[in-house]
Amino acid sequence: MELSAYERSVAGGAAGAASAMALRIVAEAGRLLGASRLIDIKSVHVDGCLYHGDSGVHFVERLVADGGYVRVPTTLNVGALDLLHPERVRGDAHFRVMARRLMDAHLSLGCAQSFTCTPYQAGHRPGLGEHVAWGESNAVAFANSVLGARTNRCGDFLDICAGISGRAPYCGLHLDGSRHASAVVRTSRLSRALKDTDAFYPVLGAWLGAAFGETVAVIDDLPVGLSDDRLKAVAAGAASSGAIGLFHIAGVTPEAPTVESACGGRPPDVEIDLTPEMIRQARDRLSTVDSNRIDAVAVGSPHFSREEFAVLTGLARGKKFIVPFYVCTGRGVVSDLEQNGDRRILEEAGVILVADTCVVVAPILPESGGVLMTNSAKFAHYGPANTGFDVVYGSLDDCVASAVSGQVSRDETLWR
Amino acid sequence: MAVRVRGEVLIGGAAEGPLFRMAKPISFWGGVDPRTGFVSDPRHPDHGKSVSGTVLALSETIGSSSSSAVMLELLAVGLAPCALLLGRPDAILTLGVVVARELGVGSIPVLRLPVETIPWEGQANIYEDGEISFAG
């Protein structure tokens, strides 16, 4: 691990104590990852403003006290509080104070007040081949796969240190050779109707992550022109059941004009032909309980987009939910919903908007527990451990129908 | 009978504790409760076991990049493993240890070695130079 003369001077304190600590931590990460050097980065997405304990707050406040400030455009992932609706999140005074201090400390370092896990749907879209340093597993997978930007999965602390130093370890997914697929997943045996269903994509992602861990795969035979929302569902599913930082979809994502080019011209190590049975099993693994009754619905992991809200508003118009129906999103989208009037339609049906945070990272769901229905593979994965709720996976249509009746209502036809 | 192997030192240090080789990879965030040190993911085969004070062996870490913060918090509150043995290099869990060291709240040895060479149970001794001895 070679530091440049400039980097050595920063690490030694020439640019202040915060820059020195940030550069030392980035360099340590580089050493751990076997990087030969550091690389300049264009932007950062910081996952570290979610409160996990006082130690993380003390770390970021140390950077502030030592004069730290980000050197590149830096967005923030969710915090542990909904600053637009403070009553949403339960928690004692200590929790609230520390969670707020962590969010504020990041703002003091010059990070943008985005508080969303979908920065790529809030204007932060690095270009093809751009080196960046992003945290939040779904955002990492989206940036690499869909945008063709280059980032490793930056853990908490590395992300903000990359922002302050403007550097990241030059290794892993920053390198050409690491971005080629070594696995090919064929989907020609799955029906076109299934592939035209939103609920297929979280399941495909969850299967991919469970099957491949962190192996780069290319998926073939999917419809061209897949929406960002379907691609983000694949990214989020794959990055929660596994450690997928990059996947390719032939003819869809920018580094995969064809299966062969995605593989870098080499034969793949493994080829898998997905069957309807494999997809059905992957879907079933997203549910932890065989229940007829639900106690709540939660969608919006990753954060619900404007387009997803347009669909939900259409489905919810004139309906009355008898269980709480949480939708997590970014504050930019909330502002749009207020301007176009959809917020009123959604709230009349019983939707509870959650901004700046989400229901699996903060205590928002009813303390009574029970069964949570979701259309998100990521909520399905993390919900049981983080909220105590059992989960049932279904499509957005299923979630709306079930919220009206309080009974699980799922359209099974596509999955057969 | 003691078995001796050598790991690549990622973070140096000496430690001694009961071995806890996880049956499957885990995401510390959402998988280990930083307030208790117990495996909290009900779908993980080691659900309900404590990582605190153990020599924790993992083939790889998966899932959330917030696992660094969980590692730092476990160290800060005294509920961390006493050493990590990792099958793959990792800058997420290990970085939590790096930051703990920067903040002066503690450090633990982290070594890399093929996890298949690690027994499922027993006692482990970790030495500064990367030597590890396992005793049944």
Side-chain angles (χ1 to χ4, degrees):
Chain A
M1 177 76 198
E2 286 274 323
L3 293 184
S4 69
Y6 171 73
E7 289 161 354
R8 280 199 303 275
S9 77
V10 171
S19 292
M21 182 162 80
L23 196 79
R24 283 198 303 270
I25 288 171
V26 173
E28 272 293 272
R31 181 183 65 81
L32 292 168
L33 293 168
S36 56
R37 63 181 176 91
L38 305 181
I39 186 172
D40 279 328
I41 44 151
K42 289 272 181 57
S43 78
V44 170
H45 181 65
V46 168
D47 189 27
C49 61
L50 176 64
Y51 174 71
H52 299 289
D54 294 356
S55 55
V57 183
H58 296 148
F59 172 70
V60 181
E61 288 183 344
R62 163 86 81 87
L63 290 170
V64 175
D66 287 349
Y69 206 82
V70 294
R71 295 166 55 97
V72 295
T74 300
T75 48
L76 290 175
N77 207 57
V78 297
L81 298 174
D82 180 339
L83 300 182
L84 301 187
H85 318 97
E87 71 283 6
R88 291 278 187 275
V89 179
R90 289 188 307 277
D92 59 24
H94 180 78
F95 168 83
R96 286 180 178 282
V97 166
M98 296 307 278
R100 183 63 191 256
R101 272 170 59 178
L102 186 60
M103 294 166 90
D104 287 344
H106 280 96
L107 297 177
S108 300
L109 292 173
C111 303
Q113 191 173 237
S114 48
F115 299 131
T116 183
C117 52
T118 56
Y120 47 82
Q121 291 182 316
H124 187 177
R125 289 175 80 93
L128 179 64
E130 251 177 47
H131 293 281
V132 300
W134 280 28
E136 163 52 38
S137 58
N138 102 80
V140 169
F142 191 97
N144 275 314
S145 310
V146 181
L147 303 179
R150 297 185 170 206
T151 178
N152 287 315
R153 297 167 64 241
C154 294
D156 284 19
F157 314 132
L158 179 56
D159 45 20
I160 189 63
C161 290
I164 289 171
S165 65
R167 296 287 199 280
Y170 187 50
C171 59
L173 294 175
H174 289 287
L175 307 173
D176 289 339
S178 313
R179 300 182 65 86
H180 294 142
S182 60
V184 175
V185 177
R186 303 200 186 275
T187 65
S188 54
R189 293 168 70 180
L190 307 180
S191 72
R192 178 64 197 234
L194 184 63
K195 293 176 196 173
D196 284 339
T197 307
D198 289 338
F200 167 63
Y201 292 90
V203 175
L204 177 64
W207 175 84
L208 190 70
F212 289 118
E214 61 179 343
T215 300
V216 181
V218 55
I219 309 170
D220 199 13
D221 311 308
L222 290 180
V224 295
L226 282 177
S227 68
D228 275 6
D229 287 324
R230 287 179 174 181
L231 292 164
K232 88 176 176 185
V234 177
S240 38
S241 64
I244 303 282
L246 169 64
F247 60 87
H248 302 291
I249 299 179
V252 175
T253 58
E255 292 166 78
T258 63
V259 168
E260 291 69 30
S261 61
C263 293
R266 288 193 308 262
D269 297 336
V270 52
E271 289 190 65
I272 294 183
D273 214 353
L274 268 180
T275 64
E277 177 63 20
M278 289 158 81
I279 287 298
R280 196 160 51 239
Q281 286 173 356
R283 183 201 68 157
D284 291 345
R285 281 198 298 271
L286 292 175
S287 299
T288 56
V289 67
D290 190 10
S291 171
N292 291 321
R293 166 189 74 79
I294 61 167
D295 301 287
V297 171
V299 301
S301 178
H303 272 171
F304 236 45
S305 67
R306 291 164 181 82
E307 292 75 18
E308 289 172 306
F309 267 114
V311 174
L312 178 61
T313 304
L315 292 171
R317 190 187 298 271
K319 300 251 175 36
K320 200 73 205 163
F321 300 146
I322 65 168
V323 298
F325 193 118
Y326 299 90
V327 189
C328 306
T329 190
R331 50 172 60 209
V333 176
V334 171
S335 156
D336 287 359
L337 294 174
E338 281 166 358
Q339 282 180 15
N340 69 17
D342 285 357
R343 178 169 190 154
R344 189 178 48 77
I345 296 167
L346 291 162
E347 288 184 338
E348 278 172 7
V351 164
I352 301 165
L353 291 181
V354 175
D356 296 343
T357 185
C358 93
V359 299
V360 300
V361 303
I364 292 172
L365 297 176
E367 280 181 283
S368 50
V371 177
L372 180 73
M373 191 161 186
T374 183
N375 72 342
S376 155
K378 186 164 181 174
F379 274 166
H381 186 83
Y382 289 114
N386 287 18
T387 69
F389 274 72
D390 274 305
V391 289
V392 173
Y393 178 80
S395 69
L396 185 61
D397 290 68
D398 295 339
C399 287
V400 168
S402 304
V404 168
S405 67
Q407 303 287 315
V408 173
S409 159
R410 293 205 298 185
D411 180 356
E412 297 287 336
T413 49
L414 286 170
W415 304 95
R416 293 211 176 94
Chain B
M1 198 182 94
V3 178
R4 283 174 184 274
V5 297
R6 186 167 286 276
E8 178 196 346
V9 178
L10 299 178
I11 306 268
E16 180 181 357
L19 253 182
F20 178 7
R21 179 176 160 191
M22 282 203 174
K24 266 178 66 180
I26 194 167
S27 167
F28 262 46
W29 183 78
V32 176
D33 187 336
R35 293 162 304 182
T36 64
F38 280 83
V39 177
S40 54
D41 176 357
R43 276 175 282 198
H44 195 276
D46 292 310
H47 178 223
K49 295 184 188 166
S50 171
V51 302
S52 304
T54 66
V55 172
L56 184 65
L58 286 165
S59 58
E60 60 183 322
T61 54
I62 57 165
S64 174
S65 39
S66 291
S67 297
S68 312
V70 175
M71 191 69 222
L72 170 64
E73 185 67 12
L74 287 168
L75 280 158
V77 299
L79 292 174
C82 69
L84 287 177
L85 306 179
L86 302 174
R88 284 165 177 271
D90 152 286
I92 289 187
L93 276 187
T94 315
L95 204 69
V97 183
V98 168
V99 171
R101 205 174 49 185
E102 283 277 348
L103 291 178
V105 298
S107 181
I108 56 172
V110 182
L111 288 85
R112 180 184 167 198
L113 72 162
V115 171
E116 313 81 71
T117 62
I118 302 174
W120 285 101
E121 52 192 20
Q123 196 74 7
N125 267 285
I126 318 267
Y127 302 94
E128 291 275 354
D129 64 353
E131 188 166 292
I132 309 163
S133 81
F134 300 114

